[in-house]
Amino acid sequence: MEIRFSGSGGQGLLLSARILAAALTEAGLTVAQSNAYEPVSRGGLSRSDLVIGEGEADYPLARRLDVLLILDEAAATVSTGLLTPASLVLCDAERVTTPPQGPFRTLCLPFTETARTLGNPRVTNIVALGALTAQASICPPEQLLAAIVAQTPARFERLNREAFAAGLAMGATEPA
């Protein structure tokens, strides 16, 4: 399975990928992670790819995406060439105004709006991770929640739990 987290710098994309990679590794899968970002701390194009398998990866870079998460318009069309008819594209409904078009499945969900209602738009990435988990059935939600708690500061545990639960609920309301 190949997953890409994409958007702009400062959105926690690399953290989200690292959290998912930790949960999948804990489940006994092999995960290769690669990152690419523009040399600015906030606002530049950013992405993180996970190539997931049961054995050693034959090629550690994403070539055909099963899941694409887009959190910013800057990344809306960058990955279209890696999508297949079986791909799932999840977009932030507020920050991605022109989602990729094609024979793949696209869902635009209110990640940023939901994070804002929880009191902190910085957990948009965790909301999105919850929705991705519900839609793509990559690993059990409780396993991913444990990785979130382990990989983020303890002072944000309650907020991250709420954000993840909101994302799971959001993803579960959409047909898979």
Side-chain angles (χ1 to χ4, degrees):
M1 177 174 264
E2 297 181 6
I3 302 171
R4 174 168 287 174
F5 295 83
S6 63
S8 61
Q11 290 186 299
L13 297 163
L14 279 59
L15 173 62
S16 294
R18 189 172 69 235
I19 289 168
L20 182 55
L24 295 169
T25 301
E26 185 68 26
L29 295 171
T30 302
V31 181
Q33 180 177 357
S34 62
N35 304 313
Y37 45 88
E38 292 179 353
V40 293
S41 61
R42 295 215 181 269
L45 186 62
S46 177
R47 71 171 166 78
S48 188
D49 295 345
L50 299 180
V51 177
I52 306 152
E54 293 187 359
E56 190 172 320
D58 60 344
Y59 188 70
L61 302 176
R63 296 179 290 189
R64 190 187 77 248
L65 297 173
D66 297 292
V67 179
L68 172 61
L69 174 66
I70 307 172
L71 293 185
D72 191 87
E73 183 68 23
T77 59
V78 174
S79 304
T80 306
L82 299 177
L83 297 171
T84 71
S87 297
L88 169 63
V89 179
L90 297 172
C91 298
D92 186 309
E94 180 177 317
R95 296 191 53 127
V96 180
T97 56
T98 55
Q101 301 295 308
F104 39 84
R105 188 164 160 253
T106 302
L107 290 174
C108 294
L109 301 170
F111 302 138
T112 298
E113 178 185 337
T114 301
R116 198 178 299 114
T117 64
L118 293 172
N120 192 336
R122 294 194 62 172
V123 294
T124 296
N125 62 326
I126 303 299
V127 173
L129 199 50
L132 186 151
T133 301
Q135 280 292 309
S137 302
I138 298 165
C139 71
E142 51 280 348
Q143 192 167 13
L144 192 50
L145 181 58
I148 291 168
V149 170
Q151 298 278 328
T152 59
R155 69 181 185 272
F156 298 117
E157 181 176 342
R158 191 183 111 267
L159 179 60
N160 283 328
R161 285 179 180 275
E162 291 172 359
F164 185 67
L168 277 175
M170 179 188 307
T173 62
E174 296 293 328

